[in-house]
Amino acid sequence: MKIVVCVSHVPDTATKINVGSDGKTIDQNGVTYVVNPYDEFAIEEALKTKEKSGGEVVIVSVGTDKNKDTIRKALAMGADSAVLLKDENYRDSFAVAKALAEEIKAQDARIIFFGKQSVDYDNSITGQMTAEMLGYNCVTVVVRLEIDGDKVTAEREIEGGKEVVETSLPVVITAQKGLNEPRYASLKGIMQAKKKKIEEKDAAAADNNLEIVKMFKPAPKAPGKIVGEDVSAVPELVRLLREEAKVI
Amino acid sequence: MGKVLVFVEQRNNVVKKASYEAVTAAKKFGEVEAVCTGANVEGLDALAGYGATKVTHLKSADFENYTPSGYAKAFADYAKDSGAEVVLFSNTAMGKDLAPRVAVKLNAGLAVDVVSFNGDGVEATAVRPVYAGKALVEVKVNSAVKVYTLRPNTFAAETDGSKGDVNVVEVSDVDLGSKVVEIKKSEGKLDVAEADVIVSGGRGLKGPEHFNLVEALADSLGAAVGASRAVVDAGWRPHSEQVGQTGKTVSPSLYVAVGISGAIQHLAGMRSSKYIVAINKDKDAPIFQVADYGIVADAFEILPELTNEIKKIKAE
Ligand SMILES: Cc1cc2nc3c(=O)[nH]c(=O)nc-3n(C[C@H](O)[C@H](O)[C@H](O)COP(=O)(O)OP(=O)(O)OC[C@H]3O[C@@H](n4cnc5c(N)ncnc54)[C@H](O)[C@@H]3O)c2cc1C
Ligand SMILES: Nc1ncnc2c1ncn2[C@@H]1O[C@H](COP(=O)(O)O)[C@@H](O)[C@H]1O
């Protein structure tokens, strides 16, 4: 049985973001890319699922040759093989999901892991879209997962608590922090990853239906007021919150 | 002017505040129909006052609890038949879960976490934060049907107080491919994702035993308690309280950061708060760059005093 993990290649969260010269995307200068943090939870859960029930973990990523760095890291954690679905052009989530859905079908995978969100566009939609295109079940923002035969029980985070969702295979799970502790790649894993094959093919054709008109930086906030440097500032702070900000 | 459908979210048969915001915001697209999936939802008649010319209750006993497959199918089927050109959700746990499924069913483009629209009618473009709020993009959805999710606490909810009729549609063939069988509430506390006031603590609190000071201030303000990742990773506070890039994104009216340095990943989750107060003993802490009001001092001295002052005011 194949277990697919979809991983995206994103700027490190500590990166300073500047708008590029096209006015629509970020300036790539000095930007370092990493495995999307939530996808690490997805990879870990896939490896655990394999350890428990057997199978083969396949990494799938849509993008350019640059995604190979991220794919190698996933392989170093212990995934068995990888597929890079190539497209040099920008794809919106709908188009990414189309490519992923085609590949998942071809792999005949019945358990598919995503991260809950890519920390670039912060969409949180690709997993659900892919599941819907495949007609598979889907549970998002999962912090606990149990798969028993065809039966799936997953806990997802909601406002003020958690929902326990029951569903069945085939299923798409989007991983939230808390689901597990992602393992570090061992030296052996890193060495082996170099030898593992990354299959490359063109991503299935798809149209974007989201067009970026422009990208811009948020207006800088007016400098705030330092109300004081000891307890004597407290009454003034309370007054400001009440009379100026009117929030209490 | 087009036709716009708003997915109205309910929990325990009560309509969520974010849905009133979405109905009010929907008016700019044209004629608004508010549609709620649920078992016996109360107060739907009030949606008329917010601007819905039609209110529909997609009703089934199977809708008592959330079912991702069931809600998505019933709502998308209804949306298809209604001929809506624009469909709005709130960017909540449920809205985020449903909107992409519905978008695919409607073959529609989706823009999430929208904080404003430029222009009116179906041609309006949407503005939304990306890269954790370090940048914004203006996007145009080019498909025939357009789906958006709106960031909660960002659009105003306005009603003239009027009430209207509720069109009840019984749904018979609910798709229960996935369904919620249990809800585990976090012990009686207010959730940061929904709170209008948040008091967050960071590593400056020195240890979990000192969070009672943060809790006391939060109690006096009727606020939720939030936390930085440093204290969540240290096990002082649960992850559900984490604010930031890998925690929750919040936009309350008031956010009080105590002993939090203001790392870029923390700011990502709270910088769109209306007012930010920072209490930190380091005057160079980056949190002061986004704070409206700051006190540069020891949190252990400030917190008890601030709690007392707030209590006094609230007692007036
Ligand atoms: C991929 C990634 C994702 C991340 N996601 C998040 C996230 O979602 N949320 C998040 O918060 N962080 C996140 N971080 C971590 C972030 O970079 C910071 O490490 C973290 O926010 C620091 O927490 P802190 O402000 O509590 O601690 P510190 O940075 O240690 O700051 C403590 C502050 O307390 C002040 N202080 C000390 N004593 C006192 C006192 N007695 N009174 C008043 N002030 C005092 C100090 O001056 C200091 O400014 C992420 C990091 C990475 C790499
Ligand atoms: N280009 C991509 N290739 C493979 N997987 C992706 C890609 N983009 C997004 N994903 C997956 O979809 C999840 C959610 O991404 P998003 O909807 O963009 O926030 C990510 O955590 C990945 O698991």
Side-chain angles (χ1 to χ4, degrees):
Chain A
M1 189 190 61
K2 284 191 178 155
I3 303 165
V4 162
V5 191
C6 299
V7 298
S8 58
H9 181 66
V10 297
D12 188 325
T13 57
T15 307
K16 281 228 155 50
I17 296 294
N18 288 309
V19 180
S21 55
D22 64 353
K24 295 184 181 191
T25 55
I26 60 165
D27 180 353
Q28 297 292 339
N29 244 324
V31 177
T32 48
Y33 278 77
V34 295
V35 181
N36 182 39
Y38 294 105
D39 299 356
E40 294 184 4
F41 303 110
I43 298 164
E44 176 63 34
E45 202 62 21
L47 294 173
K48 281 170 96 168
T49 306
K50 173 187 159 174
E51 282 155 10
K52 185 168 157 245
S53 325
E56 192 186 318
V57 176
V58 183
I59 304 297
V60 180
S61 193
V62 180
T64 64
D65 276 335
K66 298 198 176 110
N67 291 40
K68 283 183 185 165
D69 290 345
T70 278
I71 293 175
R72 290 266 176 239
K73 284 186 191 132
L75 289 171
M77 279 174 75
D80 297 291
S81 63
V83 182
L84 171 60
L85 302 171
K86 292 179 92 163
D87 189 348
E88 294 299 320
N89 299 313
Y90 162 78
R91 278 188 179 233
D92 67 12
S93 297
F94 208 106
V96 169
K98 269 256 163 65
L100 292 172
E102 285 298 316
E103 183 58 28
I104 290 162
K105 224 187 296 168
Q107 296 277 349
D108 199 22
R110 301 184 75 222
I111 305 176
I112 303 102
F113 291 100
F114 282 73
K116 78 144 192 189
Q117 176 175 348
S118 277
V119 301
D120 47 10
Y121 282 85
D122 296 324
N123 275 326
S124 279
I125 60 180
T126 311
Q128 300 92 302
M129 284 185 160
T130 308
E132 194 62 50
M133 289 170 186
L134 290 162
Y136 290 2
N137 293 311
C138 178
V139 191
T140 57
V141 202
V142 171
V143 289
R144 203 179 67 80
L145 177 67
E146 215 173 283
I147 300 178
D148 184 7
D150 264 3
K151 192 170 166 244
V152 178
T153 311
E155 275 182 34
R156 64 184 298 265
E157 240 177 47
I158 60 166
E159 297 89 358
K162 288 170 194 152
E163 281 177 338
V164 183
V165 180
E166 272 182 14
T167 187
S168 56
L169 299 186
V171 73
V172 167
I173 298 292
T174 82
Q176 162 70 322
K177 181 179 176 181
L179 178 60
N180 52 42
E181 273 303 324
R183 66 194 67 185
Y184 287 102
S186 63
L187 193 59
K188 189 165 151 234
I190 296 168
M191 296 311 288
Q192 280 172 344
K194 288 191 179 140
K195 283 183 243 138
K196 288 179 189 162
K197 190 167 169 279
I198 301 177
E199 189 186 344
E200 295 179 38
K201 39 178 137 168
D202 288 337
D207 291 328
N208 289 336
N209 42 34
L210 205 65
E211 178 195 327
I212 296 176
V213 180
K214 68 167 192 248
M215 181 181 280
F216 54 101
K217 297 276 279 185
K221 226 178 147 156
K225 189 184 287 182
I226 297 296
V227 184
E229 308 215 335
D230 55 38
V231 279
S232 67
V234 170
E236 175 62 1
L237 172 65
V238 172
R239 189 193 68 78
L240 287 165
L241 290 175
R242 229 181 155 197
E243 292 171 17
E244 195 175 87
K246 300 192 171 66
V247 284
I248 58 173
Chain B
M1 282 284 175
K3 171 151 195 198
V4 47
L5 227 57
V6 179
F7 174 80
V8 173
E9 178 173 340
Q10 54 85 19
R11 292 266 181 197
N12 297 319
N13 291 316
V14 178
V15 174
K16 299 256 277 203
K17 174 171 159 260
S19 296
Y20 296 119
E21 297 166 6
V23 170
T24 309
K27 287 188 283 187
K28 67 158 37 254
F29 293 103
E31 200 185 309
V32 183
E33 178 172 355
V35 181
C36 183
T37 45
N40 288 295
V41 189
E42 293 150 24
L44 290 174
D45 53 352
L47 288 163
Y50 289 88
T53 48
K54 187 176 175 191
V55 178
T56 298
H57 184 183
L58 298 178
K59 193 167 177 168
S60 164
D62 289 329
F63 287 160
E64 185 71 44
N65 268 339
Y66 180 44
T67 140
S69 52
Y71 279 32
K73 179 168 188 307
F75 181 75
D77 284 350
Y78 188 83
K80 245 182 247 171
D81 292 343
S82 76
E85 290 161 89
V86 175
V87 179
L88 300 184
F89 290 84
S90 303
N91 202 48
T92 54
M94 192 188 287
K96 287 195 243 188
D97 195 49
L98 279 176
R101 302 172 200 246
V102 170
V104 169
K105 286 180 194 284
L106 299 176
N107 200 16
L110 165 63
V112 299
D113 204 18
V114 174
V115 294
S116 65
F117 289 101
N118 289 336
D120 284 304
V122 294
E123 294 306 316
T125 56
V127 175
R128 55 161 307 223
V130 291
Y131 295 95
K134 289 182 231 169
L136 293 142
V137 285
E138 179 182 350
V139 294
K140 189 164 165 35
V141 181
N142 288 324
S143 47
V145 181
K146 306 167 203 309
V147 183
Y148 302 101
T149 72
L150 309 188
R151 179 175 283 204
N153 285 325
T154 307
F155 294 86
E158 283 158 12
T159 177
D160 62 11
S162 63
K163 298 200 166 160
D165 293 335
V166 177
N167 163 38
V168 176
V169 177
E170 300 280 347
V171 180
S172 48
D173 54 339
V174 174
D175 179 350
L176 291 172
S178 53
K179 61 171 194 286
V180 171
V181 292
E182 187 191 344
I183 295 177
K184 297 182 174 174
K185 285 215 175 72
S186 343
E187 317 95 52
K189 296 228 181 73
L190 211 53
D191 191 89
V192 284
E194 292 195 297
D196 195 44
V197 180
I198 297 170
V199 182
S200 283
R203 190 143 51 190
L205 270 305
K206 306 275 192 279
E209 67 278 15
H210 297 133
F211 266 75
N212 60 344
L213 295 171
V214 173
E215 277 165 359
L217 177 59
D219 279 348
S220 73
L221 286 163
V225 173
S228 71
R229 172 163 160 182
V231 305
V232 171
D233 282 354
W236 302 357
R237 303 300 296 183
H239 179 251
S240 58
E241 290 180 1
Q242 184 180 319
V243 171
Q245 185 145 17
T246 46
K248 289 183 176 139
T249 303
V250 299
S251 26
S253 308
L254 174 61
Y255 187 89
V256 184
V258 185
I260 292 179
S261 59
I264 196 153
Q265 296 95 346
H266 188 81
L267 302 185
M270 44 64 77
R271 70 187 318 154
S272 68
S273 305
K274 285 200 187 77
Y275 283 92
I276 296 170
V277 171
I279 301 168
N280 194 305
K281 66 180 188 188
D282 173 11
K283 69 172 180 9
D284 296 322
I287 191 75
F288 287 118
Q289 285 163 22
V290 299
D292 299 277
Y293 307 115
I295 297 184
V296 182
D298 188 339
F300 294 97
E301 282 170 32
I302 302 299
L303 282 177
E305 192 61 24
L306 184 55
T307 306
N308 275 338
E309 281 290 313
I310 303 278
K311 273 195 194 147
K312 260 195 254 162
I313 283 191
K314 297 271 174 177
E316 272 170 23

